[in-house]
Amino acid sequence: MAETFGVEEAVECIFRADESGEEQKSDADIGCREQISKSEPNGIGIEKILQTTYINAACVLKHESQLWLAAIHRRLAGRRSVRHPYYAEFYRDIPVDLFTALSHSIKVSNDPKLGEPMCYIKGNSKGEVVSLTDIQSLIYLLTLLSGKQQEDVAFYLKRTLGGARKNHKTKVLVSQEKDFGLIYSYKKGQLTICFNYGEWNSFGFPQHNCNLNI
């Protein structure tokens, strides 16, 4: 039986970092740096330091995913689009290696909560898409990435409004028909995060198309 391990562990393994977030130095890494130090008596050049530095993808994605949660929460209180009501998207410029580390870690983790049909990953020469079709799988993934508790993540996915829409409630909706998408463009180096959401008035009546809430 194949060994199963989590997304968080997979992300960290890809970038060769330990759980504390500090760089994990192999004997080869240390030897390489010692040779550089001896060959550079006046100091090590920036380029050579960068060439021997490894980044912890889990730490970077922890901060990045927390920004995603904040952006989602803001969009839930935004003005509705006339052409695409109750649909929101925002963009993040992130390195291709970071997104590839995330998508690859989901693939190799064999985590049943992030397998099909709850999560699909497809790509071509132009980009790659991570499609989540289950709200619990979405909360699970964002919990792993952000380091927050599940109830804290769930808080960001819903909102009580004020102003002219006082006491209206909104929340992210995820289903097979209306997925939560992470769409990465190789050409732009840009991640698009898109989702559908619902709105209920102060009496609990939905203002959105109820077919979204499946």
Side-chain angles (χ1 to χ4, degrees):
M1 182 177 179
E3 182 181 1
T4 300
F5 54 98
V7 173
E8 186 175 11
E9 288 84 352
V11 171
E12 294 196 5
C13 285
I14 290 173
F15 278 68
R16 300 170 60 185
D18 63 13
E19 293 180 355
S20 67
E22 297 176 353
E23 179 188 345
Q24 187 177 33
K25 303 178 181 66
S26 66
D27 292 339
D29 296 332
I30 295 172
C32 178
R33 294 189 183 193
E34 288 178 349
Q35 289 181 359
I36 292 175
S37 297
K38 292 178 181 178
S39 64
E40 299 283 348
N42 296 324
I44 304 175
I46 292 176
E47 182 180 2
K48 291 183 179 179
I49 293 175
L50 293 175
Q51 289 174 348
T52 57
T53 299
Y54 295 93
I55 297 174
N56 187 328
C59 287
V60 178
L61 284 168
K62 179 178 181 179
H63 175 70
E64 180 65 26
S65 61
Q66 289 175 2
L67 295 177
W68 299 352
L69 288 170
I72 291 169
H73 198 62
R74 287 195 302 271
R75 293 300 189 280
L76 290 175
R79 298 177 62 181
R80 295 186 299 273
S81 167
V82 175
R83 295 185 62 184
H84 302 288
Y86 302 108
Y87 170 85
E89 64 180 30
F90 58 94
Y91 309 95
R92 295 291 300 167
D93 294 323
I94 65 174
V96 61
D97 290 339
L98 185 62
F99 184 79
T100 300
L102 172 60
S103 62
H104 182 68
S105 66
I106 295 174
K107 293 176 186 177
V108 303
S109 69
N110 297 320
D111 194 319
K113 294 182 180 179
L114 294 173
E116 296 183 5
M118 286 80 72
C119 179
Y120 296 91
I121 300 178
K122 303 294 181 183
N124 55 32
S125 60
K126 295 183 178 180
E128 191 169 15
V129 177
V130 176
S131 171
L132 291 147
T133 61
D134 179 80
I135 187 64
Q136 294 304 320
S137 293
L138 172 62
I139 293 174
Y140 177 71
L141 177 61
L142 292 175
T143 297
L144 288 178
L145 295 179
S146 68
K148 294 181 178 293
Q149 298 296 320
Q150 286 197 8
E151 55 268 26
D152 295 329
V153 170
F155 166 81
Y156 283 97
L157 304 183
K158 58 185 178 181
R159 185 160 185 167
T160 300
L161 307 181
R165 297 152 70 192
K166 185 177 181 180
N167 293 327
H168 282 218
K169 298 182 184 298
T170 57
K171 71 175 182 179
V172 174
L173 300 177
V174 183
S175 70
Q176 288 285 341
E177 289 74 20
K178 300 293 182 179
D179 62 338
F180 184 100
L182 303 173
I183 307 170
Y184 192 84
S185 168
Y186 295 143
K187 182 177 181 179
K188 296 180 180 179
Q190 188 177 76
L191 174 66
T192 302
I193 298 177
C194 53
F195 59 93
N196 293 273
Y197 64 97
E199 179 178 349
W200 293 260
N201 64 19
S202 57
F203 299 101
F205 291 102
Q207 309 299 293
H208 60 282
N209 182 352
C210 292
N211 290 329
L212 294 178
N213 194 13
I214 298 176

